[in-house]
Amino acid sequence: MPSMYPLLSARPVVAIPVAMLVAMLSIAGAQPAVAACSCSAMTVKTSGTSQAYCVNAAANFEECTVVTTKSCPSGQKAVQCPLGPKSGEASSQYWMGYGFEVTSTISGTASQCNNGQGLKREIMSGTATTSPGRISYNTPAGGTYTVTGGGTSYTAAIDSDKRKNWPNISASSSGNPLYGADNYSTSSSTDTTIASTATSLYWADLPSIYFDSTDLGKKITLTDQAFTFVLNSGSGSTKPTSGPGCACAVRYTMTKAPMTAWSVANLNAAVSGSKTNVATVSCTVSP
């Protein structure tokens, strides 16, 4: 997603007496620094519904529900998304996916953490593997990420090249599991379901696929593995790609059995889902 920053405004140069400058520096030095971000625990919720998120009013979140329980600024709407194995119909198309919500307990300033999500995907139509589609985002930045905490660690590689397909479940880079960049890197974005408070950073996702008419009588299996992380801020302006923090890697599998007629009721009856914990670093998957 594009980021927009205000241009620096030109200001006239003003001479300042040395004595006044020393006084100003003393005052500035006495002011508290912006608190760094630190993650102490992460929870991945996989049932019920997500919290409400303020998103752009024109944004397309068809699998989610617009709600009035949360007040949003002008030009935005509040949505809640389903969690767990789900299926339904949107824009006259049937879909299935596995929803989850990531909540991290943090201290300090959320924007100083290095957070995000990687995704790897496989789609099986019968016994044949089909294209998983292209990587959707260029954030988190490509590279190798190592998260440590709670006496354990997890290392993963992220590919942010949108010209490539999502890595498959077994894909690796230099011996580390390889994921495609799946965003959730900006805590204040209204283009994704992400938000923060003084003590938490949280986001919801529902990786899904849409069916076409030829899928009716086929067994379709969707396997998504999501790597979610929050790395503590380091020293300086560069956000670290390794160090203390929280992370989870969870594999979600959705299967649609062969059907004889399309309907939401028939699809719901034909769909089943399961999840497998791959790695947890100061993270709990619930339930």
Side-chain angles (χ1 to χ4, degrees):
M1 297 178 296
S3 299
M4 300 183 65
Y5 299 91
L7 296 175
L8 295 176
S9 56
R11 301 177 186 275
V13 177
V14 178
I16 302 176
V18 174
M20 184 181 298
L21 178 61
V22 171
M24 290 172 64
L25 291 173
S26 300
I27 294 172
Q31 293 177 349
V34 177
C37 178
S38 177
C39 179
S40 58
M42 174 182 285
T43 299
V44 178
K45 181 183 176 184
T46 60
S47 65
T49 57
S50 74
Q51 301 181 66
Y53 295 84
C54 291
V55 298
N56 288 332
N60 182 4
F61 290 89
E62 289 186 304
E63 298 96 342
C64 304
T65 303
V66 176
V67 297
T68 58
T69 53
K70 182 180 181 68
S71 177
C72 295
S74 176
Q76 298 180 22
K77 61 185 176 184
V79 297
Q80 279 185 299
C81 303
L83 306 177
K86 300 296 177 183
S87 55
E89 183 182 11
S91 297
S92 300
Q93 283 188 289
Y94 295 97
W95 61 271
M96 72 175 182
Y98 207 117
F100 59 90
E101 183 172 44
V102 180
T103 302
S104 297
T105 302
I106 63 169
S107 59
T109 306
S111 61
Q112 289 196 352
C113 271
N114 188 3
N115 54 277
Q117 182 171 298
L119 187 76
K120 51 172 62 192
R121 161 171 282 198
E122 280 184 1
I123 303 173
M124 298 288 293
S125 177
T127 58
T129 302
T130 65
S131 173
R134 298 281 180 87
I135 294 172
S136 300
Y137 300 96
N138 55 19
T139 55
T144 301
Y145 293 75
T146 298
V147 187
T148 59
T152 188
S153 66
Y154 184 67
T155 299
I158 289 182
D159 190 340
S160 59
D161 188 344
K162 295 170 66 176
R163 296 169 297 181
K164 298 179 182 178
N165 284 344
W166 292 109
N168 61 36
I169 297 301
S170 62
S172 64
S173 175
S174 300
N176 299 311
L178 176 64
Y179 296 81
D182 199 28
N183 204 8
Y184 299 98
S185 297
T186 305
S187 59
S188 59
S189 172
T190 56
D191 293 320
T192 52
T193 43
I194 187 170
S196 64
T197 69
T199 58
S200 66
L201 171 62
Y202 53 100
W203 66 84
D205 193 14
L206 179 54
S208 57
I209 56 172
Y210 281 71
F211 302 108
D212 62 32
S213 58
T214 65
D215 295 324
L216 177 63
K218 299 176 183 177
K219 177 183 177 182
I220 307 293
T221 302
L222 166 67
T223 305
D224 284 320
Q225 185 169 311
F227 163 48
T228 58
F229 67 90
V230 177
L231 274 159
N232 299 357
S233 45
S235 58
S237 59
T238 302
K239 293 185 176 182
T241 56
S242 64
C246 310
C248 255
V250 184
R251 186 174 300 170
Y252 305 95
T253 302
M254 293 291 297
T255 301
K256 181 195 78 68
M259 298 165 54
T260 57
W262 286 114
S263 74
V264 172
N266 288 348
L267 179 61
N268 290 343
V271 164
S272 60
S274 62
K275 68 179 186 299
T276 303
N277 296 348
V278 177
T280 56
V281 179
S282 297
C283 181
T284 301
V285 181
S286 175

Coordinates of all heavy atoms in Angstrom, one line a residue, residues 227-274:
F227 N 2.7 -16.5 9.2 CA 3.7 -16.1 10.1 C 3.4 -14.7 10.6 O 3.5 -13.7 9.8 CB 5.1 -16.2 9.4 CG 6.2 -15.5 10.1 CD1 6.4 -15.7 11.5 CD2 7.1 -14.7 9.4 CE1 7.5 -15.0 12.1 CE2 8.1 -14.0 10.0 CZ 8.3 -14.2 11.4
T228 N 3.0 -14.5 11.9 CA 2.7 -13.2 12.4 C 3.8 -12.9 13.5 O 4.2 -13.7 14.3 CB 1.3 -13.2 13.1 OG1 1.3 -14.2 14.1 CG2 0.2 -13.5 12.0
F229 N 4.2 -11.6 13.4 CA 5.3 -11.3 14.3 C 5.2 -9.8 14.8 O 4.7 -8.9 14.1 CB 6.7 -11.5 13.7 CG 7.0 -10.6 12.5 CD1 7.6 -9.4 12.7 CD2 6.6 -11.0 11.2 CE1 7.9 -8.6 11.6 CE2 6.9 -10.2 10.1 CZ 7.5 -9.0 10.3
V230 N 5.8 -9.5 16.0 CA 6.0 -8.2 16.5 C 7.4 -8.2 17.1 O 7.6 -8.9 18.1 CB 4.9 -7.8 17.6 CG1 5.3 -6.4 18.1 CG2 3.5 -7.8 17.0
L231 N 8.3 -7.5 16.5 CA 9.7 -7.4 17.0 C 9.8 -6.1 17.8 O 9.4 -5.0 17.4 CB 10.7 -7.4 15.8 CG 11.1 -8.8 15.3 CD1 11.7 -8.6 13.9 CD2 12.1 -9.4 16.2
N232 N 10.5 -6.2 18.9 CA 10.8 -5.0 19.8 C 11.6 -4.1 19.0 O 12.4 -4.4 18.2 CB 11.5 -5.4 21.1 CG 10.6 -6.3 21.9 OD1 9.5 -6.7 21.6 ND2 11.2 -6.8 23.0
S233 N 11.4 -2.8 19.2 CA 12.2 -1.7 18.6 C 13.7 -1.8 19.0 O 13.9 -2.2 20.2 CB 11.6 -0.4 18.8 OG 11.3 -0.2 20.2
G234 N 14.6 -1.5 18.1 CA 16.0 -1.5 18.5 C 16.5 -0.1 18.8 O 15.7 0.9 19.0
S235 N 17.8 0.1 18.8 CA 18.3 1.4 19.0 C 18.5 2.1 17.6 O 18.9 1.5 16.6 CB 19.7 1.3 19.7 OG 20.6 0.5 18.9
G236 N 18.1 3.4 17.5 CA 18.2 4.1 16.3 C 16.9 4.0 15.5 O 15.9 3.5 16.0
S237 N 16.9 4.5 14.3 CA 15.7 4.6 13.5 C 15.3 3.4 12.7 O 14.2 3.2 12.2 CB 15.8 5.8 12.6 OG 16.9 5.7 11.7
T238 N 16.3 2.5 12.5 CA 16.1 1.3 11.7 C 15.4 0.2 12.5 O 15.9 -0.1 13.6 CB 17.4 0.7 11.2 OG1 18.1 1.7 10.4 CG2 17.2 -0.5 10.3
K239 N 14.3 -0.3 12.1 CA 13.6 -1.3 12.8 C 14.3 -2.7 12.6 O 14.6 -3.0 11.5 CB 12.1 -1.4 12.3 CG 11.3 -0.2 12.7 CD 9.9 -0.3 12.3 CE 9.0 0.9 12.7 NZ 7.6 0.7 12.4
P240 N 14.5 -3.4 13.7 CA 15.3 -4.6 13.6 C 14.5 -5.7 12.9 O 13.2 -5.8 12.9 CB 15.6 -5.0 15.0 CG 14.4 -4.4 15.8 CD 14.1 -3.1 15.0
T241 N 15.2 -6.7 12.3 CA 14.6 -7.9 11.7 C 14.9 -9.1 12.6 O 14.5 -10.2 12.2 CB 15.0 -8.1 10.3 OG1 16.5 -8.2 10.3 CG2 14.6 -7.0 9.4
S242 N 15.6 -8.9 13.7 CA 15.9 -10.0 14.6 C 16.0 -9.5 16.0 O 16.3 -8.3 16.2 CB 17.1 -10.8 14.2 OG 18.3 -9.9 14.3
G243 N 15.6 -10.3 17.0 CA 15.7 -9.9 18.3 C 14.5 -10.3 19.1 O 13.7 -11.1 18.7
P244 N 14.4 -9.8 20.3 CA 13.2 -10.2 21.2 C 11.9 -9.7 20.6 O 11.8 -8.7 19.9 CB 13.5 -9.4 22.5 CG 15.0 -9.1 22.4 CD 15.3 -8.9 21.0
G245 N 10.8 -10.4 20.9 CA 9.5 -10.1 20.4 C 8.6 -11.3 20.6 O 8.8 -12.1 21.4
C246 N 7.5 -11.3 19.8 CA 6.5 -12.3 19.8 C 6.2 -12.8 18.4 O 6.3 -12.0 17.4 CB 5.2 -11.8 20.4 SG 5.3 -10.9 22.0
A247 N 5.9 -14.1 18.2 CA 5.6 -14.6 16.9 C 4.9 -15.9 16.9 O 5.0 -16.6 17.9 CB 6.9 -14.8 16.1
C248 N 4.1 -16.1 15.9 CA 3.4 -17.4 15.8 C 3.4 -17.8 14.3 O 3.4 -16.9 13.4 CB 1.9 -17.2 16.2 SG 1.5 -18.0 17.8
A249 N 3.5 -19.1 14.1 CA 3.3 -19.6 12.7 C 2.3 -20.7 12.8 O 2.5 -21.7 13.6 CB 4.6 -20.2 12.2
V250 N 1.2 -20.5 12.1 CA 0.0 -21.4 12.2 C -0.4 -21.8 10.8 O -0.5 -21.0 9.9 CB -1.2 -20.8 13.0 CG1 -2.3 -21.8 13.1 CG2 -0.7 -20.3 14.3
R251 N -0.7 -23.1 10.6 CA -1.1 -23.6 9.3 C -2.7 -23.9 9.4 O -3.2 -24.5 10.3 CB -0.4 -24.9 9.0 CG -0.7 -25.5 7.6 CD 0.1 -26.7 7.3 NE 1.5 -26.3 7.3 CZ 2.5 -27.2 7.3 NH1 2.3 -28.5 7.2 NH2 3.8 -26.8 7.3
Y252 N -3.4 -23.3 8.4 CA -4.8 -23.4 8.4 C -5.2 -24.2 7.1 O -4.8 -23.8 6.0 CB -5.5 -22.0 8.3 CG -5.0 -21.1 9.5 CD1 -4.0 -20.2 9.3 CD2 -5.7 -21.2 10.7 CE1 -3.6 -19.4 10.3 CE2 -5.3 -20.3 11.7 CZ -4.3 -19.4 11.5 OH -3.9 -18.6 12.6
T253 N -6.0 -25.2 7.3 CA -6.4 -26.0 6.1 C -7.9 -26.0 6.0 O -8.7 -26.3 7.0 CB -5.9 -27.5 6.3 OG1 -4.5 -27.5 6.4 CG2 -6.3 -28.3 5.1
M254 N -8.4 -25.7 4.8 CA -9.8 -25.7 4.5 C -10.1 -26.7 3.3 O -9.3 -26.7 2.3 CB -10.3 -24.3 4.1 CG -10.2 -23.3 5.2 SD -11.4 -23.6 6.5 CE -13.0 -23.4 5.5
T255 N -11.1 -27.5 3.5 CA -11.5 -28.5 2.4 C -12.9 -28.4 2.1 O -13.8 -28.3 2.9 CB -11.2 -29.9 2.9 OG1 -9.8 -30.0 3.2 CG2 -11.5 -30.9 1.8
K256 N -13.2 -28.3 0.7 CA -14.6 -28.4 0.2 C -14.8 -29.7 -0.4 O -14.0 -30.1 -1.4 CB -14.9 -27.3 -0.8 CG -16.3 -27.3 -1.3 CD -16.5 -26.5 -2.6 CE -15.9 -27.1 -3.8 NZ -16.7 -28.3 -4.2
A257 N -15.8 -30.5 0.0 CA -16.1 -31.8 -0.6 C -16.8 -31.5 -1.9 O -17.4 -30.5 -2.1 CB -16.9 -32.6 0.4
P258 N -16.9 -32.5 -2.8 CA -17.6 -32.4 -4.0 C -19.1 -32.1 -3.7 O -19.7 -32.7 -2.8 CB -17.5 -33.7 -4.7 CG -16.2 -34.3 -4.2 CD -16.1 -33.8 -2.8
M259 N -19.7 -31.2 -4.5 CA -21.1 -30.8 -4.3 C -21.9 -31.1 -5.6 O -21.3 -31.2 -6.7 CB -21.2 -29.3 -3.9 CG -20.5 -29.0 -2.6 SD -20.2 -27.2 -2.5 CE -21.9 -26.6 -2.7
T260 N -23.2 -31.1 -5.4 CA -24.1 -31.3 -6.6 C -24.9 -30.0 -7.0 O -25.4 -29.9 -8.1 CB -25.1 -32.4 -6.3 OG1 -25.9 -32.1 -5.2 CG2 -24.4 -33.7 -6.1
A261 N -24.9 -29.0 -6.1 CA -25.6 -27.8 -6.4 C -25.0 -26.7 -5.5 O -24.7 -26.9 -4.3 CB -27.1 -27.9 -6.2
W262 N -24.9 -25.5 -6.1 CA -24.4 -24.3 -5.3 C -25.5 -23.7 -4.4 O -26.6 -23.5 -4.9 CB -23.9 -23.3 -6.2 CG -22.5 -23.5 -6.8 CD1 -22.3 -23.7 -8.2 CD2 -21.3 -23.7 -6.2 NE1 -21.0 -24.0 -8.4 CE2 -20.3 -23.9 -7.2 CE3 -20.9 -23.6 -4.9 CZ2 -19.0 -24.1 -6.9 CZ3 -19.5 -23.8 -4.6 CH2 -18.6 -24.1 -5.6
S263 N -25.2 -23.5 -3.2 CA -26.0 -22.7 -2.3 C -25.2 -22.5 -1.0 O -24.2 -23.3 -0.8 CB -27.3 -23.4 -1.9 OG -27.1 -24.5 -1.0
V264 N -25.5 -21.5 -0.2 CA -24.7 -21.3 1.0 C -24.8 -22.4 1.9 O -23.9 -22.9 2.5 CB -25.1 -19.9 1.6 CG1 -24.4 -19.8 3.0 CG2 -24.8 -18.8 0.7
A265 N -26.1 -22.9 2.0 CA -26.3 -24.1 3.0 C -25.5 -25.3 2.5 O -24.8 -26.0 3.3 CB -27.8 -24.4 3.0
N266 N -25.5 -25.6 1.2 CA -24.8 -26.8 0.7 C -23.3 -26.6 0.9 O -22.5 -27.5 1.3 CB -25.1 -27.0 -0.8 CG -26.5 -27.5 -1.0 OD1 -27.1 -27.9 -0.1 ND2 -26.9 -27.5 -2.3
L267 N -22.8 -25.4 0.7 CA -21.4 -25.1 0.8 C -20.9 -25.2 2.3 O -19.9 -25.8 2.6 CB -21.0 -23.7 0.3 CG -19.6 -23.2 0.4 CD1 -18.6 -24.1 -0.4 CD2 -19.4 -21.8 0.0
N268 N -21.7 -24.6 3.2 CA -21.4 -24.7 4.6 C -21.3 -26.2 5.0 O -20.5 -26.6 5.9 CB -22.4 -24.0 5.4 CG -22.3 -22.5 5.3 OD1 -21.3 -22.0 4.8 ND2 -23.3 -21.7 5.6
A269 N -22.2 -27.0 4.5 CA -22.2 -28.4 4.9 C -21.0 -29.2 4.3 O -20.5 -30.2 4.9 CB -23.5 -29.1 4.4
A270 N -20.5 -28.7 3.2 CA -19.4 -29.4 2.5 C -18.0 -29.0 2.9 O -17.0 -29.6 2.6 CB -19.6 -29.1 0.9
V271 N -17.9 -27.9 3.7 CA -16.7 -27.3 4.1 C -16.3 -27.7 5.5 O -17.1 -27.8 6.4 CB -16.7 -25.8 3.9 CG1 -15.6 -25.1 4.7 CG2 -16.7 -25.3 2.5
S272 N -15.0 -28.0 5.6 CA -14.4 -28.3 7.0 C -13.1 -27.7 7.1 O -12.4 -27.4 6.0 CB -14.3 -29.8 7.2 OG -13.5 -30.4 6.2
G273 N -12.6 -27.4 8.3 CA -11.3 -26.8 8.5 C -10.6 -27.3 9.7 O -11.2 -27.8 10.6
S274 N -9.3 -27.1 9.7 CA -8.4 -27.5 10.8 C -7.2 -26.6 10.9 O -6.9 -25.9 9.9 CB -8.0 -29.0 10.7 OG -7.2 -29.1 9.5

